[in-house]
Amino acid sequence: MNPSVPPGAEVVFLDDPWQGGFDMAIIAELWFRDRRTRVLLNRVSHLPPEEIAKAGAVFTWRDGKLIRVR
């Protein structure tokens, strides 16, 4: 998967393979190459459903693979 999001998007990761840190957020910020993109980790922030619903992109990890939810 080669994920892309619009510049300045808010991106939510529902789950990530690196528990206990912000590795997923750092990797995503580097991947998207846009300092305006806001990466939120649901595991850390415990986002309410309304916050997830308004995100520009939502991803999760399943069986070691990155899956775009929407």
Side-chain angles (χ1 to χ4, degrees):
M1 173 179 259
N2 186 9
S4 63
V5 298
E10 187 169 279
V11 179
V12 172
F13 285 87
L14 298 175
D15 299 296
D16 66 77
W18 297 284
Q19 300 298 315
F22 291 90
D23 295 348
M24 185 71 252
I26 294 166
I27 291 167
E29 288 173 0
L30 292 170
W31 184 267
F32 296 132
R33 289 178 243 139
D34 178 15
R35 291 178 181 227
R36 297 171 296 158
T37 297
R38 185 172 173 220
V39 177
L40 301 170
L41 303 178
N42 188 54
R43 174 184 48 78
V44 174
S45 302
H46 307 291
L47 302 167
E50 301 81 33
E51 185 83 13
I52 295 170
K54 69 179 187 178
V58 179
F59 296 92
T60 192
W61 285 88
R62 191 174 305 134
D63 299 324
K65 295 181 183 179
L66 180 63
I67 308 292
R68 186 169 190 150
V69 176
R70 63 171 184 76

